[in-house]
Amino acid sequence: MNGGGANRFDAIVVGAGHNGLVNACYLARAGLKVQVLERNPYIGGAAVSRRLYDGFTYSNCSYVCSLLRTEIMRELELPRFGLQIIPYEGGCTLMSNGEHLAIYDNHDALRREFARHSRHDAEAYERYVRDMLRHCRFIKPLLLRTPPDPTSFRPRDLQELLFLGKQFHKLGETRMYDTLRFFTMSCADMLEEYFEREIVKAHLAGSSIIGTALGPRSPGSAYVLLHHYMGSIDGAVGAWGFARGGMGAITQALAASFTASGGAVRTGAPVAQILTRNGRAHGVVLQSGEELQAPIVVSNLDVKRTFLQTVAAQELPAEFLEQVRRFKIRGSSGKLNIALDGLPHFPAIPQGSPCTRGDMHVTDTLEMIERAYDDWKEGRWSRAPYIDMLIPTQIDPSMVPDGKHYMSVFVQYCPYRLAEGEWSAAQRQAFGETVIDTIARHSPDFRSLILHAEIRTPQDIENEVGLTEGNIFQGELTFDQLFFNRPLPGYAQYRSPLGGLYLCGSSNHPGGGVMGAPGANCARAILRDTGRGADPGRLS
Amino acid sequence: MSAAGGLRYDSLVIGGGHNGLVCAAYLARSGRRVLVLEAASQVGGAAVTREFAPGFRVSACAHLLHLMPPSIVRELSLDRQGLELAATDLPTTALDPEGEHLSLSLATDAVRALRSRCAADAAAYEEWQSLVARIAAALHPVLNITPPRLGTEDWRDRMALLGVGWRLRRLGRRDLRELLRIGGMCVHDLLEDRFRLPLLKGALALDAVLGTNYGPRSPGTVLSLLYRAAAAHGGGSFVQPAGGLGSLSEALARAAVAAGAEVRTGSIVERILVSDDRAAGVRLASGETISAATVISSADPKTTFLRLLGCEHLDAGFVRRVTQLRSRGLTAKLHLALARLPEFPGLDAAALGGRLLIAPSADYIERAYNYAKYDEFSSAPVLEVTLPTLADAALAPEGRHVLSAIVQYAPYTLAGGWSAQRQRFTELLIDTLARYSPDLRECVTASELLAPPDIEREFRISGGHWHHAELALDQFFMLRPVPGATQYRAPLAGLFLCGAGCHPGGGVMGLAGRNAAQALIREAA
Amino acid sequence: MLTESQPHFRQPLLRTPFHERARSLSQLDSFIPWSGYTSVDVFTSVEQEYFAIRNASSLYDLTPMVKYRISGTDALRFLNRLTTRDLSKLAPGRVAYTVWCNDEGQLIDDGTVFCLAAGDYRLCTAEWQLDWLRASAIGFDVEIREVTDEIAALAVQGPTSCKLLKSIGLAGIERLKPFEHATLAMPRTSAAPIALQVSRTGFTGDLGYELWMSPTDAEPVWDALMEVGSTRGVRAIGSRALNMARIEAGFLLPRVDFVSAAHTLLPGTERSPLELGLGWLVDFGKGHFTGRRALLAEKARGPRRQLVGLDVAGQKPAHAALLYTSRSGTRQAGSVTSAIWSPTCKRNIALAIVDAVHATTGATLWADIYLNRELVWERRMVPARVVERPFYAPARRRATPPADF
């Protein structure tokens, strides 16, 4: 393909996160000579398994696998390269009065569990699930498509708009309204239309705020909830699962698939700048000063980091830069990774219940979650945080020494910057204590089982992973930053103002979560631009 | 045209609020025999002038006229029907706790004042106002149409949709992109991106959230700001009718009568009568029944469907949608009778006669909203204040004055209950005002606080929401008030809606009334 | 508030009061879930169980049928707005089969309404309905309570069912007309008599009754029936045998012949009562009910599809067969929802949804049937004639008093 020396490639992908690797895989499979460059000494970005404590493997950033598109797993042969996804067995929310709401895989058990709280809600849940599945069905075909530009008259954009119109029209009048309403509602208002019990609403509302600087009462949060639901495992829509060996197993499988197609990954190779000439990217220069050349440069970094830190400002239109600066990418989540000496006991959960082998939450009411959000707005971590914790080692013992356990604790909300300024070590510790206290209230032996705890504020996530402000989605999932607005109006098709420079990270449609869709969609755009064609039926 | 089937009336309009009266006037002008039935002893609904203390009168809810389109004023010749303006082009001033008040308008001296405070903001403000004006001009016509239904075979629906699309496209790529980006955004982010002065941001944020159940950080609040601008056709001026908003309603009633309509006050409609699956008339609380070919309700959707019509005439799914309509008010109204004109240091006479905003920053508003989310009130409330007696001395006894303030946020279901909290809240509001007017407290001789439950009771608006139904993205345009009752039509033949619960919503605008009349006339044609 | 005696994550399904008896008779351990309960699919042999229905008497445990008690001053108004039939004519002691729809006039479910007394009803239905019933109750003074676990129910169906019930002492049972119910006493030698509510209703299209009782009476009643029935060919039956009988009778089964509009995910898969041949249940003259306006519009337009009965050539049931307008199989006309070889009619029968133009009796369609011939699959295109339903309707099902078999 490309003759050139060892430092010449067809494409360079900056960042070995899951989207960078997905993108690289597709490019390599199309015959391009692709070099992936990773700043850290390990690959994976935010989908990593790391040994940070004696024999324990932590999924120290992302912790759940649900959104990863089946098409991608299949096309890139990830199972052949070692990826195994195992569904959760249940889930639960622990209440401060010692009660709980459990989620069971078995439909009848689940129904009876809901009915224990409210017979009405048990039945309303059926309607809720039906409606969520309807919305998922509508949105799923759009995930692996490139958003059209609604202001453009190009045939491809018009064609895609027409496709969208047709998809929408197929729903029929009533469901069209239901869809419009759903996508503009707050999660709280949406749940009020189904349920009467606070605990049921609070349990379901968790997904509407994870990773986002919105509260359950913010319009648009119903969509965020759906964003967490639209994945599937083996056809079970909305199911969440573990990656065997931790989340790093996903990026390891991607890297293996990539190298098997002839691609190369370099770790410990931080990119200082993307090189440009006459409005085109032509390579990168590493912090070491080494230059690598390629007519195509793909950035897996978020849009702010790409254009504000990695491209020379004079190469970009001022107005574009202003738009990039306005992009909302807010840190709102913290994370604790905890090594446990044994399985903690949760007295609220009946003996033998499988509901601890999935996502466990701590909250009572929508109001509690909303108040947690109010704290974030004021620049402090939530005094009563929303917690999404999980002990994957109950299902995947390969991650820990025999008999020990690893707990991933995702915490909402935690600000990037505190009202009083930057995070100090003492403040990080105090944040961790708040979380541990919250859990310990539901598990008397929890604290005594802790062998090691890694406490991560958004600032730590930014420092380690490179996500601006530690935002897990590479940008808020609000109306102004979704679909044809993601990341920026006019630049929602994975291309940038600079020729040859593409974006493949979660800053792009369809957004974050370990989904891989932005990476795949971006690859399609590149292949189209380089005359290698694209799948028919998917705009690129 | 004569009344169909030997009936005395073609159409009955339930409720003599401004939308009901506008609707009646337009129907009467089309030759229909129309009867307006108003429950209260005077017309106007919530647009009335109210004596809240002996000799002191005030506009009960909205206190300024801002959104009424000139075309309605012209078409109904409201000036000839006695509508007089006590003041026009009222200025807006954002009050600063430190006395550094900020005048907000596009008048050159105001921009000059802003420029001296913050040159960047002055430029940004002008740029923003001009963008808003362009968007408002594009959106304004959308307020005048019957929102299309989706997925129907009706060519009118398709034309309307295409028309909206075409108008948006005409904005040009740049503005359209910006509109599509900011349309769903929260006003807080928009203001952070464009402005620096907290006082300016507070004032603009207040315009975005006034009358809603949202705070500046709630996505969708930019739309409500743009929407107000569109209704005011890009920043129409604030106007104070002589005699309060009640005189507007009286002028509308006279216009309706002049066009041939009848208006009956003190006539409480108890039930919409149904015959053969059609609305056939109404029964009054007095027991009297009045028949007509069509019934148009300007009451809110919940009252219309659940109380007046009755669920047995409606499908269960539709009824569920109506009950789910968010219609709880979060806005109260404070009226103070003043022995003399209180001093507002730092305000000149012109500013004092205009709109005074107490919302020193967007965060201030957001914090006030935080409390409201949990059915509490903030100790730092948000206010839009006017002193109507400055322009219209007749509203109070000689030498005395009235202060009228819109209060945000006042929860419908206040923790502890309104009867227990009313006095505390009133005192808090007076204290808040007194920060800007040290001698206010000693001027106050009487006060009245109309909280949402009072508005519900006084004006028969279920939930006490000024807009009858929350103006939110999911209750907007073709979704307003609820699917199945859009296009001003109830699911039941012969029954129409013309109140603020319909597109384009509340505010003393009259467009819902006019659009409904036009939809009815079109349907009959 | 939160108590639950059984750990539902260990045993998700409830057991009916007849469960122990059923388990002791079950030779195949073949159970299926039904509305949260364990229900027998087959006891011994589907054929033998089927013939018990048509030849003698069958016992079928109906307890999982979801039951709601509906009472209050607006109970009748509520039911009349909910369902498509005019229930104002339903007097105490009567039962009505009816359906209910969503706003778009699409079928949510069918069921029976028992008028227990003025303003007091029981609604029996295959699936849970509380969500829809609560939505429908807005604006009505009515109390809705699920009573599924408070009432054990047993269907006694077959030509000898009247005699069987008489022989356990239910005096006057022969006077009960179709769609009537009454409370009769079952005498016992060593205990107080059991009050049994008996309705002449069923899902078999044959002579038959349904017994409604307190859960504590379930086993004595079962034992009494089995004791006198053991020498009369009485059998406990499972759902599979019942399914054969209901297809012969032309009755519809939710999730098989239609998907409730409360569950559909895909647009356009709902079915209206007019399409399902249940137009006779829709009373447009009674006043408003949910879906009425949509159904009126559909009636004026004509339904797009129609449920029909088919007489299929050959003996191989046309399970899930696609239907075509011609043997060439180029234009699809519809698809089969239920199919069996009818042992009683000696016909290969099916229920199918077809485009309305093909729904005329006598029209011939072609069914695409896949035959498994010792694991060698063959495709057969066979003619299928549209015929009147029900396929089987013996006069004995309506005779009062029933003949003394």
Side-chain angles (χ1 to χ4, degrees), chain B residues 63-110:
Chain B
H63 46 205
L64 294 174
L65 202 50
H66 176 47
L67 306 177
M68 173 80 73
S71 56
I72 290 183
V73 176
R74 197 173 55 242
E75 285 162 10
L76 300 183
S77 312
L78 294 185
D79 46 348
R80 276 195 280 127
Q81 304 302 342
L83 178 65
E84 284 174 38
L85 303 180
T88 56
D89 291 322
L90 288 169
T92 297
T93 308
L95 300 189
D96 177 52
E98 311 305 325
E100 296 285 316
H101 307 315
L102 182 67
S103 174
L104 287 176
S105 70
L106 272 181
T108 34
D109 51 338

Side-chain angles (χ1 to χ4, degrees), chain A residues 487-507:
Chain A
L488 308 172
Y491 296 97
Q493 299 182 344
Y494 310 96
R495 299 173 178 92
S496 75
L498 296 171
L501 177 58
Y502 296 83
L503 272 80
C504 75
S506 302
S507 282

Side-chain angles (χ1 to χ4, degrees), chain A residues 328-386:
Chain A
K328 308 289 178 283
I329 177 160
R330 291 170 170 147
S332 61
S333 325
K335 177 100 198 272
L336 267 66
N337 294 297
I338 301 174
L340 294 167
D341 204 16
L343 200 58
H345 176 55
F346 293 93
I349 306 296
Q351 205 67 41
S353 167
C355 75
T356 58
R357 295 196 280 279
D359 49 332
M360 302 173 71
H361 312 269
V362 177
T363 192
D364 284 348
T365 60
L366 280 173
E367 180 176 326
M368 265 178 79
I369 305 177
E370 186 71 24
R371 282 187 190 272
Y373 170 56
D374 290 346
D375 284 334
W376 176 87
K377 289 191 292 192
E378 297 295 337
R380 54 180 181 246
W381 67 83
S382 306
R383 287 159 291 191
Y386 176 79

Side-chain angles (χ1 to χ4, degrees), chain B residues 28-52:
Chain B
R29 279 158 52 104
S30 78
R32 286 171 170 74
R33 296 187 47 111
V34 183
L35 172 64
V36 180
L37 296 161
E38 167 57 44
S41 56
Q42 55 179 337
V43 294
V48 289
T49 305
R50 164 186 184 88
E51 182 167 316
F52 68 96

Side-chain angles (χ1 to χ4, degrees), chain B residues 193-470:
Chain B
D193 288 345
R194 289 175 181 265
F195 303 108
R196 291 180 196 169
L197 285 179
L199 199 55
L200 178 62
K201 290 189 270 189
L204 291 172
L206 174 57
D207 273 346
V209 301
L210 199 66
T212 75
N213 274 287
Y214 294 114
R217 278 185 186 266
S218 307
T221 40
V222 170
L223 187 73
S224 77
L225 189 67
L226 292 174
Y227 169 83
R228 270 171 73 103
H233 218 321
S237 71
F238 287 92
V239 166
Q240 185 184 329
L245 260 78
S247 61
L248 169 74
S249 301
E250 281 158 21
L252 286 170
R254 277 192 289 273
V257 170
E262 285 176 51
V263 178
R264 274 171 62 175
T265 54
S267 304
I268 301 170
V269 174
E270 201 175 60
R271 200 79 183 161
I272 294 167
L273 300 175
V274 176
S275 161
D276 200 16
D277 206 31
R278 265 195 77 91
V282 300
R283 189 179 69 232
L284 302 183
S286 63
E288 183 188 352
T289 64
I290 308 171
S291 305
T294 52
V295 176
I296 304 113
S297 173
S298 74
D300 67 272
K302 282 186 177 163
T303 300
T304 303
F305 290 122
L306 306 180
R307 283 227 340 260
L308 299 179
L309 182 59
C311 299
E312 68 269 30
H313 298 295
L314 296 165
D315 290 343
F318 177 80
V319 168
R320 177 155 64 188
R321 283 185 192 275
V322 173
T323 57
Q324 288 169 346
L325 182 72
R326 295 194 306 285
S327 61
R328 281 199 177 155
L330 201 59
T331 306
K333 188 75 190 298
L334 173 73
H335 302 140
L336 299 179
L338 305 171
R340 57 180 159 81
L341 187 65
E343 264 182 67
F344 280 81
L347 283 183
D348 59 24
L352 199 56
R355 289 167 81 216
L356 308 174
L357 309 182
I358 298 182
S361 71
D363 286 340
Y364 175 98
I365 305 176
E366 184 71 24
R367 287 187 191 117
Y369 172 60
N370 281 351
Y371 289 92
K373 292 190 289 190
Y374 317 121
D375 284 340
E376 297 157 11
F377 55 76
S378 162
S379 57
V382 175
L383 295 166
E384 180 194 278
V385 183
T386 62
L387 292 153
T389 38
L390 284 173
D392 190 357
L395 291 171
E398 183 71 38
R400 315 222 167 179
H401 285 276
V402 168
L403 183 146
S404 166
I406 299 172
V407 182
Q408 198 85 351
Y409 300 86
Y412 177 90
T413 44
L414 183 66
W418 274 104
S419 45
Q421 303 281 350
R422 181 182 305 274
Q423 197 50 40
R424 233 189 88 211
F425 193 45
T426 306
E427 291 302 318
L428 172 73
L429 293 172
I430 295 172
D431 286 343
T432 307
L433 288 162
R435 286 200 62 183
Y436 303 87
S437 172
D439 67 338
L440 178 79
R441 185 165 275 288
E442 48 204 71
C443 302
V444 176
T445 57
S447 71
E448 176 188 60
L449 182 71
L450 291 177
D454 306 316
I455 293 168
E456 173 174 63
R457 194 184 55 249
E458 292 274 320
F459 307 117
R460 295 161 195 275
I461 300 171
S462 175
H465 198 300
W466 293 28
H467 295 166
H468 286 194
E470 184 63 28

